[in-house]
């Protein structure tokens, strides 16, 4: 069937109640796989999760997940899936807060003009992004990334690649997930010294 952003099949013949039951069953299947993390190796779990995503889709965010995301409380199912696929190691929020409250004179401050120019342009016509990730959060996460990876320079476009993380997960989770993404999965792009 055709794919939509939220469901595997956008043309489901099921009624609303049946579709909600199907989504809840799918959500429970994902939750079970995510909880089994310690009982199997990471690669096998990622393969099982990927198969489920590709064959059945990801359930829509619940109202509760949206509210928790908007208040930056905890990640929903979609965010936890991203973290599982990225193999984000365990972390403590205090580490991120140290970067937020750091008063150093990092090279990052020399890049302020580029970041200041890029942040307001980031998905400015996407109202969902603007609602979920205000400019101050985008700016703060970018600066913290530069503090966390001293060899990293700001490269135009980092704001746009960070944006989806902030749409699906709270700020702290987005920081650690994005840091993992750029250091482990896209290092040649970000560490190449591009201006």
């Amino acid at each position: 069937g055709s794919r939509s952003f939220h469901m595997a099949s956008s043309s489901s013949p099921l009624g609303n109640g049946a579709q909600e039951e199907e989504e809840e069953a799918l959500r429970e299947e994902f939750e079970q796989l995510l909880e089994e993390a310690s009982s199997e190796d990471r690669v096998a779990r990622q393969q099982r999760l990927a198969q489920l995503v590709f064959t059945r889709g990801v359930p829509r965010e619940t109202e509760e997940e949206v509210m928790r995301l908007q208040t930056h409380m905890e990640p929903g199912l979609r965010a936890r899936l991203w973290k599982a696929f990225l193999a984000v190691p365990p972390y403590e929020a205090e580490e991120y807060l140290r970067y937020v409250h750091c008063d150093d004179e990092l090279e990052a401050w020399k890049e302020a003009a580029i970041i200041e120019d890029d942040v307001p342009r980031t998905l400015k016509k996407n109202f969902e992004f603007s609602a979920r990730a205000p400019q101050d959060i985008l700016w703060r996460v970018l600066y913290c990334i530069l503090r966390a990876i001293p060899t990293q320079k700001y490269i135009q476009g980092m704001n746009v690649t960070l944006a989806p993380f902030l749409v699906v997960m709270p700020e702290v989770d987005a920081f650690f997930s994005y840091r993992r993404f750029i250091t482990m999965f896209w290092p040649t792009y970000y560490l190449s010294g591009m201006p």
Side-chain angles (χ1 to χ4, degrees):
S2 63
R3 293 253 183 224
S4 74
F5 181 70
H6 296 292
M7 291 295 297
S9 175
S10 60
S11 57
S12 175
L14 302 173
N16 193 26
Q19 185 174 351
E20 287 177 10
E21 287 178 20
E22 184 179 295
E23 284 187 14
E24 186 55 37
L26 181 58
R27 180 176 297 283
E28 288 175 17
E29 197 169 344
F30 275 116
E31 295 291 351
Q32 183 179 6
L33 281 172
L34 289 168
E35 288 174 14
E36 292 177 0
S38 60
S39 65
E40 64 180 300
D41 70 271
R42 178 182 56 85
V43 174
R45 180 176 68 128
Q46 285 177 327
Q47 289 173 342
R48 289 176 61 205
L49 286 168
Q51 181 180 17
L52 193 56
V53 168
F54 291 128
T55 59
R56 306 235 347 250
V58 178
R60 288 185 206 119
E61 293 174 311
T62 64
E63 288 180 26
E64 182 180 333
E65 284 179 318
V66 171
M67 186 179 79
R68 287 182 176 183
L69 180 59
Q70 289 174 343
T71 58
H72 309 286
M73 291 177 63
E74 65 182 63
L77 175 61
R78 191 172 304 271
R80 293 192 340 269
L81 286 169
W82 281 35
K83 289 166 53 176
F85 287 127
L86 289 168
V88 177
Y91 54 83
E92 296 292 329
E94 289 77 20
E95 179 184 350
Y96 177 66
L97 293 175
R98 282 194 301 273
Y99 295 125
V100 169
H101 299 296
C102 184
D103 289 332
D104 61 3
E105 291 297 323
L106 261 183
E107 278 295 303
W109 298 114
K110 293 180 181 177
E111 300 171 28
I114 301 170
I115 295 173
E116 293 294 331
D117 285 345
D118 278 357
V119 165
R121 295 188 299 226
T122 308
L123 303 176
K124 71 180 183 180
K125 293 183 180 181
N126 183 318
F127 301 111
E128 183 176 6
F129 172 74
S130 299
R132 290 188 178 198
Q135 290 182 11
D136 62 322
I137 292 175
L138 181 61
W139 185 90
R140 186 168 46 241
V141 173
L142 287 169
Y143 270 99
C144 288
I145 287 292
L146 299 179
R147 287 183 171 120
I149 310 169
T151 58
Q152 177 65 56
K153 301 288 185 202
Y154 180 78
I155 299 167
Q156 285 185 311
M158 287 176 74
N159 56 318
V160 176
T161 58
L162 171 59
F165 288 85
L166 290 169
V167 169
V168 301
M169 59 185 69
E171 179 178 350
V172 173
D173 297 284
F175 166 78
F176 287 102
S177 298
Y178 188 68
R179 181 174 75 176
R180 174 76 173 171
F181 175 70
I182 66 170
T183 59
M184 298 302 295
F185 297 97
W186 222 5
T188 55
Y189 177 77
Y190 284 116
L191 302 178
S192 66
M194 293 172 53

